Amino acid sequence: MSTDLVTSPTRPGRPPARRRRRPLLRLLVGALALGLVGVLALAGLAAWFWSQADISNLGQLSFANQLKIPPVLEPRVDEAGRKVFDLRLQQGTSELLAGKPTQTWGANGTYLGPTIRATLGDQVAMQVTNRLPEPTTIHWHGMHLPAAADGGPHQLIQPGSTWSPSWRIDQPAATLWYHPHPHGATEDHVYRGVAGLFLLDDPEAGALPLPDRYGVDDIPVILQDKRFTADGVLDFGQSPFSPIGRLGEQILINGTHDPHLNIGHQRVRLRLLNASTARVYHLGFADDRPFELIGTDGGLLERPLLTTRVPLSPGERVEILAEFRPGERVVLRSFPPDLGLDGFQGRFAGADDSFDLLQVRAGPRLTPSPPVPDRLVRHQQLDQAEAASTRRLELNGSSRINGLRMDLGRIDQTGTVGTTEVWEVANRSGNPHNFHIHGVQFKVVQYAGGAPPPGLAGWKDTVFIPPGGTVRLLVQLPGYADAAVPYMFHCHLLQHEDNGMMGQFVVVQHGQPPGNLPSREHRG
Ligand code: C2O
Ligand code: CU
Ligand code: CU
């Protein structure tokens, strides 16, 4: 090499090659070394993030705190015979971790909200007053209602004002919920703490011998994961590698950290809601005891399903029945969920995470419960052969549906009131998503190329879709026409939703033209 340098011809006016090449060599070596250090540092950083990304609290809890049960909101009855519910959205201070006050939001309190309860046929009227510092909305997730009462991003409630939607309960008994839905800020508002259960009852479900004493043998279980700073303040940061959004290390159940539940009945019904913004749980008991899955998003199953695990993605609900022996203590746990990701991506999406959620403490003597009925309720049959049309939706990346980001001024889909349709939703991305439709309960007729798993046999309004997976949903469109006010469909991983993975559909009378949004044009 040096021979080369010596003998190389030197042109006049240019520095000799030797003098040019030496610094270049040094530069090259330096750059290589720097590059190596950089690669090592990156690898180290990635390894650090990797090792940090695996979260578990197994064995770390003492179950010191009694599980809080959200109070049931008593309605007043107005002259028209409607049940009127008052919700005041407010901010305040909560002690989510013992001895560490943090700023939170809630409804009729500083964290979460009361349980609303109504019965099939009730005319309900909501009075939602926004005492928060920002405009927000309250959406009744899972409810059949007119689009204008739905509480999606178009029904903004300005600070200081009250929103008063009203509708008639026209669907079976179910565990529904409510939460804010302002476009672009849903994750933030839910994370701060605004959410609550909306339970529906009906005579058919009420006649079944199922545990139904709220807070006694019929227990609400609202699951949320949080990040906290060292002083116990809510942390809004997240891992830069998470493909699904913010994942917390601490679990709150009904706003209770490190909780236990005392029970006095042999058989207990748990109504589980995943009110987390991104985390998917995989529920079961630490001793792997079987339990009965009796309900999903939209109500009871036709028959119970004996199982040991139930996955639950954000927005979904399940009702389970579990049996206990006197004096025993059993932990409800979340096992590593199958997100359909490879090991590397999965780690950053929570696929390796496990959590002790709640310790059930059975009393020394338990009141016997009736056996689990082997038939629950009859479902209205939707006929796939009669489906008027098939809509195809593709989830792209982490912010688009059919290639488009959410636009409040654009109607993406128009359908005819009350008709049955097939919605084919394909996850064309490498990320997990879960798909939610407003105003309806649907049936999953095909899941990732095959028959739906038995746990998806019931009414659903939100369904997990693994990367590359396609689901076919049989949907009966809402029975309320309004060409000017849309319902939403979106990914219920709230960061994806906020980033634009949401679309709008309007429901019109038969033969009416596709919807548009007149209010938007006036503003234009
Ligand atoms: Cu629970 Cu559109 O949301
Ligand atoms: Cu919803
Ligand atoms: Cu998503």
Side-chain angles (χ1 to χ4, degrees), residues 85-98:
F85 294 91
D86 289 302
L87 282 184
R88 289 174 318 278
L89 312 182
Q90 58 189 83
Q91 52 182 341
T93 307
S94 304
E95 208 180 282
L96 297 180
L97 297 183

Side-chain angles (χ1 to χ4, degrees), residues 432-434 491 493 496 501:
H433 296 295
N434 78 352
C491 177
L493 304 179
H496 291 176
M501 190 173 270

Side-chain angles (χ1 to χ4, degrees), residues 64-65 94-101 231-232 257-258:
N65 307 309
S94 304
E95 208 180 282
L96 297 180
L97 297 183
K100 298 185 171 175
D231 19 320
H257 181 243
D258 201 4

Side-chain angles (χ1 to χ4, degrees), residues 376-408:
L376 295 170
V377 293
R378 295 189 72 85
H379 286 183
Q380 178 207 345
Q381 297 303 315
L382 298 179
D383 187 358
Q384 196 172 173
E386 274 174 19
S389 57
T390 297
R391 289 178 200 278
R392 291 199 169 76
L393 300 173
E394 292 187 359
L395 310 178
N396 318 110
S398 58
S399 59
R400 283 165 294 121
I401 298 180
N402 287 351
L404 299 172
R405 276 175 192 251
M406 167 73 175
D407 179 343
L408 282 163

Side-chain angles (χ1 to χ4, degrees), residues 139 141 436 438:
H139 164 57
H141 179 128
H436 169 50
H438 284 211

Side-chain angles (χ1 to χ4, degrees), residues 177-313:
W177 66 301
Y178 60 91
H179 64 80
H181 215 300
H183 185 44
T186 295
E187 182 197 32
D188 181 273
H189 289 197
V190 172
Y191 189 65
R192 288 172 189 273
V194 186
L197 287 170
F198 201 136
L199 306 184
L200 299 183
D201 301 301
D202 74 42
E204 186 188 5
L208 290 167
L210 296 174
D212 62 359
R213 273 147 298 192
Y214 182 81
V216 177
D217 61 0
D218 182 355
I219 312 291
V221 180
I222 304 173
L223 300 167
Q224 295 177 303
D225 60 333
K226 299 287 174 203
R227 288 167 68 105
F228 292 99
T229 65
D231 19 320
V233 172
L234 271 186
D235 183 350
F236 288 81
Q238 72 175 63
S239 158
F241 294 106
S242 168
I244 61 172
R246 182 185 304 125
L247 295 173
E249 309 82 8
Q250 304 292 343
I251 306 292
L252 302 179
I253 313 279
N254 302 345
T256 323
H257 181 243
D258 201 4
H260 70 263
L261 167 71
N262 295 313
I263 57 153
H265 288 77
Q266 174 195 7
R267 212 169 269 120
V268 171
R269 173 192 206 159
L270 301 178
R271 299 181 188 245
L272 296 134
L273 157 67
N274 183 350
S276 303
T277 58
R279 184 175 288 289
V280 177
Y281 300 90
H282 193 206
L283 303 167
F285 289 94
D287 63 359
D288 287 330
R289 72 181 51 200
F291 55 88
E292 308 270 1
L293 177 70
I294 58 166
T296 53
D297 301 339
L300 295 172
L301 299 173
E302 296 198 282
R303 47 184 66 80
L305 174 72
L306 193 68
T307 183
T308 56
R309 295 283 187 277
V310 179
L312 201 67
S313 74

Side-chain angles (χ1 to χ4, degrees), residues 506-524:
V506 291
V507 172
V508 297
Q509 297 293 354
H510 190 77
Q512 231 184 316
N516 55 23
L517 293 178
S519 57
R520 194 75 178 191
E521 281 156 27
H522 294 313
R523 264 182 259 139

